[in-house]
Amino acid sequence: MLMFQRSTYYYQSVADEQAALRIRIRDLAQARVSYGYRRIHVVLEREGWKVNHKRVYRLYKQEGLTMRTKRPRRHVTACRREELPAAQSPDESWSMDFMNDELFNGQRIRLLTLVDNFTRESLAIEVDRSIGGQRVVEVLMHIARERCLPKTIRVDNGPEFTSKRLDQWAYLNGVELDFIRPGKPTDNAFIESFNGRFRQECLNENWFLSLEDAREKVEEWRLYYNKERPHGALGNLPPREFALSGEVVS
């Protein structure tokens, strides 16, 4: 016969279930599908949560979460993404992306494009043979000298945008990097639309003899796009004129 109280059969734990922390970990894992528990722990610490990585790992596993180790195919949804509200003012939300092209001799070049999601202005088009995370930060810092930084910057999951250097810069400047779902470029529709027009009207129409020639022609088109080219979504106003008018996008 076992000599212990019958009440022990009905013991219920009184430990804190960490419901709020569980919810936050789940939200981060769904929003940042490439984040494992260690990176989620770093984000939680930045947000003020007093929790060590062991507890984060335990709750991460109990919630059945796992980092996606294989990049999904384009027809597979990596996570359910709610439709984001449209920007209501300039410098509220920006979008960034990369493009590729060639010089006349077949040498490849990279182009970093950046637009304001409300005014549709082209904030910068950086052209070089290669552009890493540090270079992306330098472009953003240059733009910040002339206008306010946004609340969010929508980007894909490329290595330049997931770099520690850009992540650190965003944290220090209070900017949220809004990563789209892998294989879902339509989540970043504004920059995809801009890139299509840019390729059709500039890259496909010009023959670049050198890197400097490419930079000059690209910047000439960018200024034309901002100041003169009518934009259908803005009532056929150029982006710069629309930004100065203070109108609301319909």
Side-chain angles (χ1 to χ4, degrees), residues 21-236:
L21 181 56
R22 288 174 183 271
I23 292 173
R24 186 57 185 147
I25 291 174
R26 210 161 47 232
D27 290 345
L28 288 172
Q30 291 174 355
R32 307 292 180 89
V33 294
S34 62
Y35 279 18
Y37 80 92
R38 289 189 179 276
R39 200 156 194 179
I40 289 177
H41 171 247
V42 173
V43 175
L44 290 171
E45 282 191 325
R46 289 179 178 178
E47 294 179 351
W49 292 87
K50 302 301 182 181
V51 58
N52 61 36
H53 71 278
K54 295 180 181 179
R55 177 173 296 180
V56 172
Y57 175 74
R58 177 170 57 82
L59 297 178
Y60 184 87
K61 298 295 289 185
Q62 289 178 359
E63 291 298 313
L65 302 173
T66 180
M67 184 176 66
R68 186 178 289 273
T69 57
K70 183 178 180 180
R71 193 177 184 88
R73 297 179 182 178
R74 285 189 173 272
H75 65 275
V76 177
T77 301
C79 68
R80 185 177 296 276
R81 181 187 179 95
E82 296 181 359
E83 185 176 353
L84 297 176
Q88 299 298 316
S89 61
D91 298 323
E92 180 181 337
S93 174
W94 296 354
S95 291
M96 286 194 301
D97 199 13
F98 276 97
M99 301 180 67
N100 296 307
D101 205 68
E102 296 180 351
L103 302 180
F104 80 102
N105 57 3
Q107 188 175 38
R108 297 182 66 81
I109 59 175
R110 292 271 279 170
L111 303 101
L112 170 67
T113 56
L114 181 64
V115 300
D116 185 303
N117 293 339
F118 179 76
T119 66
R120 311 298 205 272
E121 290 175 277
S122 171
L123 305 179
I125 303 178
E126 190 74 6
V127 184
D128 212 330
R129 292 184 174 85
S130 64
I131 302 175
Q134 176 61 36
R135 185 68 170 279
V136 174
V137 170
E138 292 173 359
V139 172
L140 292 170
M141 291 174 62
H142 179 75
I143 298 174
R145 297 171 188 165
E146 300 179 354
R147 58 195 300 157
C148 298
L149 288 172
K151 297 178 182 178
T152 62
I153 301 179
R154 200 170 303 171
V155 295
D156 62 24
N157 294 271
E160 300 87 356
F161 297 142
T162 58
S163 68
K164 292 182 179 179
R165 184 68 184 90
L166 181 58
D167 183 63
Q168 181 184 39
W169 174 89
Y171 171 67
L172 294 176
N173 288 275
V175 177
E176 180 183 357
L177 297 177
D178 180 18
F179 294 95
I180 67 173
R181 295 172 295 177
K184 293 291 182 179
T186 52
D187 284 348
N188 207 356
F190 293 121
I191 197 70
E192 289 294 328
S193 176
F194 172 82
N195 288 349
R197 291 180 173 87
F198 175 44
R199 181 167 296 282
Q200 181 181 22
E201 299 177 9
C202 181
L203 299 183
N204 291 348
E205 294 297 320
N206 285 286
W207 190 253
F208 303 131
L209 301 178
S210 65
L211 192 59
E212 287 301 319
D213 183 46
R215 287 170 176 164
E216 291 177 4
K217 291 177 178 176
V218 166
E219 181 63 12
E220 180 181 359
W221 181 88
R222 189 184 74 86
L223 295 176
Y224 161 77
Y225 173 87
N226 283 338
K227 297 180 178 180
E228 300 181 37
R229 185 189 182 282
H231 199 297
L234 304 177
N236 289 325

